[in-house]
């Protein structure tokens, strides 16, 4: 079952995002996940953030051309300057209502200042 919150990002997989067999490139999907995680991290940090690590990426099933892709992201921990974001990608076929988990991973971001140096993440 997908998360109850609204997705941070939703798009349609297009032919330009696929290999000759019609499967969507993992890098395209990972890029969407990074955007969604950056959205969650930036809101929590109240400013600029940068990706510093990705861990535990798992690809459960392919995404196909025409699938609706929804990316969910949730801050799971906050350190002094960094945050860990749990990210899930779900697909829905155009003619179906059921969504399936296709990819998940944990992205780590650091809050940065105007000089691109780490800065403290504000307390709530």
């Amino acid at each position: 079952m997908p998360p109850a919150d609204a997705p941070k990002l939703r798009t349609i997989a297009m032919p330009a995002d696929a290999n000759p067999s019609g499967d969507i490139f993992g890098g395209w999907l990972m890029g969407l996940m990074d955007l969604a995680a950056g959205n969650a991290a930036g809101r929590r940090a109240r400013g600029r953030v940068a990706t510093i690590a990705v861990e535990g990426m798992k690809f459960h099933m392919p995404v196909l051309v025409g699938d609706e892709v929804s990316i969910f992201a949730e801050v799971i921990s906050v350190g002094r300057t960094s945050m860990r974001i749990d990210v899930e990608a779900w697909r829905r076929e155009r003619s179906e209502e059921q969504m399936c988990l296709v990819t998940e991973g944990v992205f780590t971001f650091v809050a940065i200042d105007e000089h691109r140096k780490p800065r403290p993440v504000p307390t709530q």
Side-chain angles (χ1 to χ4, degrees):
M1 189 68 122
D5 293 344
K8 296 287 186 215
L9 186 68
R10 181 176 282 154
T11 192
I12 303 295
M14 300 299 286
D17 308 317
N19 64 25
S21 299
D23 297 327
I24 297 302
F25 292 117
W28 177 82
L29 192 55
M30 194 170 172
L32 293 178
M33 294 171 75
D34 190 44
L35 282 172
N39 182 343
R43 289 179 66 102
R44 177 62 183 83
R46 296 190 203 120
R48 191 169 180 171
V49 296
T51 310
I52 59 168
V54 178
E55 59 186 90
M57 286 292 296
K58 294 179 188 170
F59 292 88
H60 302 288
M61 65 174 36
V63 174
L64 307 177
V65 170
D67 285 349
E68 176 186 84
V69 178
S70 298
I71 312 293
F72 299 87
E74 178 184 7
V75 177
I76 56 174
S77 66
V78 178
R80 191 179 79 74
T81 63
S82 65
M83 297 151 284
R84 294 179 73 233
I85 317 294
D86 184 51
V87 186
E88 294 180 354
W90 291 72
R91 72 179 276 265
R92 184 186 65 79
E93 292 181 45
R94 285 183 286 192
S95 61
E96 302 293 326
E97 287 302 314
Q98 180 180 352
M99 295 174 67
C100 299
L101 177 66
V102 293
T103 309
E104 59 188 318
V106 176
F107 287 64
T108 303
F109 283 78
V110 66
I112 56 175
D113 64 18
E114 62 276 2
H115 304 290
R116 296 188 172 100
K117 300 295 181 195
R119 66 173 172 85
V121 175
T123 56
Q124 292 287 342

